[in-house]
Amino acid sequence: MYLKLRKHVSTRHVIQSLVAMIVVYIGITFVIFINQIANNSTSILNRPAGVEAFLPISALVGLKAWITTGSFDPVHPAGLVILLLALTLSLLLKRTFCSWICPIGTLSEGLANLGKRVFGRNFTIPNWLDYLLRSVKYLILFFFVLAIFFGMSGLDAAAFVQSPYNMVADIKMLKFMQHLTSVGTIVIGMIVVFSILYENFWCRYLCPYGGLLGLLSVLSPYKITRNRESCIQCGKCTKRCPNHILVDQASRVSSPECTGCLNCVQQCPSNDTLTFKSRLGLPALAVSILVISLLFIVSAKITGHWETNVTVEMYKQILPLVDQIGH
Ligand code: SF4
Ligand code: SF4
């Protein structure tokens, strides 16, 4: 059983690594695509639609436009599909999107592991400050939800989706990363340092996307469940939880912070005491995540809801104007 669980958890790492490789491939392909457009090359690579995963605000506006007008975002459809996938996974399988798929989550985990190697451990933030900081991601989420779902009409949202600003949002993001300002460098540098020192710093305190997925995940029928009878109260589960959840004191973990990483299950020395309760059984979790993800992406591709309607010719016209295009 223990070997089976070890195997299962390493399946998460395999999936994280695969997604990370796909993200690197998408990044490189997008840079080449933009360079080819800028240089007016005769042969131009296909724009990787997956780059839209990094436009979560655009996807939220796209969601509002879709709900209110019925029109599915034609400019960044893949971004909206990935948002819908993350929301669905959270409703069904807790925040597994964060711990199994999200490349920022993977990076965050890697930085925390680096911290453990360098300092022998990750540091902990005092409880009172931890509570305060955890509310930051909900405040950011509240601001976006308020601005998009209450401050914009459906027509405003649809107009934003079709706007030149949204059209070049992916290029602006690339330029931002390629020409980081000193403020951008300091902010990213601080997040990296804090992520090395404090496990899961970005996801736990700052990511509004994680906040949204966490709130939805409370409704998930799947929860980490502890068998009080067989628990030997060793506390290893709590010690290993990257989200500081007191697993050894809960019967069922309903916290929105639980990302379904299964670290606690892997650490538990007592057979069948901690389970990610589902009728499918543990090994099915990885399969479920893969099947649901593929289902979303393949259906979007088949039904024409994956590739942008912005043509190469349009990119050629708009690229020289990117710096002049504002909100
Ligand atoms: S409770 Fe278990 S599955 Fe949830 S975040 Fe903590 S270690 Fe991961
Ligand atoms: S690791 Fe397992 S046995 Fe130990 S406290 Fe947690 S649930 Fe109980």
Side-chain angles (χ1 to χ4, degrees):
M1 182 67 182
Y2 183 61
L3 282 176
K4 219 167 140 187
L5 292 175
R6 270 181 65 92
K7 191 171 164 232
H8 180 74
V9 172
S10 61
T11 306
R12 180 172 77 86
H13 294 137
V14 170
I15 293 179
Q16 282 181 307
S17 307
L18 274 176
V19 175
M21 281 191 277
I22 293 171
V23 168
V24 170
Y25 170 78
I26 286 173
I28 294 171
T29 315
F30 188 61
V31 170
I32 296 173
F33 169 78
I34 294 297
N35 284 341
Q36 288 174 334
I37 298 271
N39 298 328
N40 220 358
S41 301
T42 42
S43 75
I44 292 180
L45 283 180
N46 282 336
R47 172 184 173 279
V51 76
E52 294 165 17
F54 292 93
L55 305 173
I57 300 167
S58 168
L60 268 184
V61 180
L63 178 62
K64 158 100 186 192
W66 185 41
I67 292 170
T68 50
T69 68
S71 158
F72 200 90
D73 186 342
V75 177
H76 297 309
L80 180 51
V81 170
I82 292 166
L83 173 65
L84 292 172
L85 166 64
L87 298 177
T88 307
L89 280 179
S90 303
L91 268 174
L92 296 178
L93 301 166
K94 293 291 289 175
R95 273 173 66 186
T96 42
F97 183 84
C98 300
S99 62
W100 289 68
I101 296 178
C102 177
I104 310 292
T106 304
L107 187 61
S108 201
E109 202 174 321
L111 290 172
N113 286 337
L114 176 67
K116 276 181 202 146
R117 278 174 192 266
V118 175
F119 302 106
R121 68 187 178 104
N122 292 127
F123 297 88
T124 44
I125 289 177
N127 275 348
W128 66 269
L129 185 57
D130 178 69
Y131 278 119
L132 270 182
L133 289 176
R134 260 195 281 162
S135 59
V136 173
K137 64 177 181 291
Y138 295 114
L139 281 176
I140 304 173
L141 173 66
F142 177 73
F143 167 77
F144 283 126
V145 169
L146 198 68
I148 295 170
F149 286 91
F150 297 96
M152 280 177 120
S153 70
L155 289 177
D156 287 342
F160 174 87
V161 165
Q162 299 283 359
S163 68
Y165 182 81
N166 189 42
M167 224 174 258
V168 297
D170 47 0
I171 306 173
K172 277 190 175 284
M173 178 189 60
L174 177 65
K175 286 191 158 225
F176 171 78
M177 295 308 292
Q178 284 177 329
H179 310 286
L180 269 183
T181 58
S182 45
V183 175
T185 310
I186 290 170
V187 170
I188 292 179
M190 281 174 68
I191 292 173
V192 168
V193 170
F194 282 128
S195 299
I196 292 172
L197 297 177
Y198 303 104
E199 194 166 26
N200 234 2
F201 183 82
W202 167 260
C203 311
R204 185 168 177 77
Y205 300 124
L206 299 177
C207 180
Y209 217 56
L212 174 64
L213 301 186
L215 292 178
L216 279 178
S217 77
V218 173
L219 302 173
S220 163
Y222 293 76
K223 302 263 191 298
I224 291 291
T225 306
R226 184 175 63 99
N227 182 344
R228 284 176 185 270
E229 314 284 299
S230 54
C231 172
I232 57 168
Q233 288 294 330
C234 66
K236 288 185 176 174
C237 47
T238 295
K239 202 171 163 203
R240 190 58 200 92
C241 177
N243 296 304
H244 314 300
I245 294 168
L246 303 176
V247 187
D248 61 340
Q249 292 174 25
S251 297
R252 256 166 94 73
V253 174
S254 347
S255 166
E257 302 296 334
C258 175
T259 54
C261 66
L262 303 185
N263 284 356
C264 54
V265 177
Q266 184 200 24
Q267 286 302 311
C268 181
S270 175
N271 276 352
D272 297 330
T273 296
L274 277 184
T275 44
F276 191 64
K277 204 75 172 178
S278 85
R279 269 191 247 125
L280 299 171
L282 281 175
L285 179 57
V287 177
S288 306
I289 292 171
L290 282 175
V291 168
I292 295 171
S293 304
L294 285 175
L295 206 67
F296 267 73
I297 295 170
V298 172
S299 335
K301 286 191 175 204
I302 291 173
T303 58
H305 293 93
W306 186 252
E307 300 292 343
T308 179
N309 67 351
V310 183
T311 62
V312 168
E313 283 314 311
M314 287 160 85
Y315 272 114
K316 281 183 181 171
Q317 286 168 21
I318 213 165
L319 190 61
L321 307 171
V322 166
D323 292 334
Q324 295 153 40
I325 298 173
H327 290 270

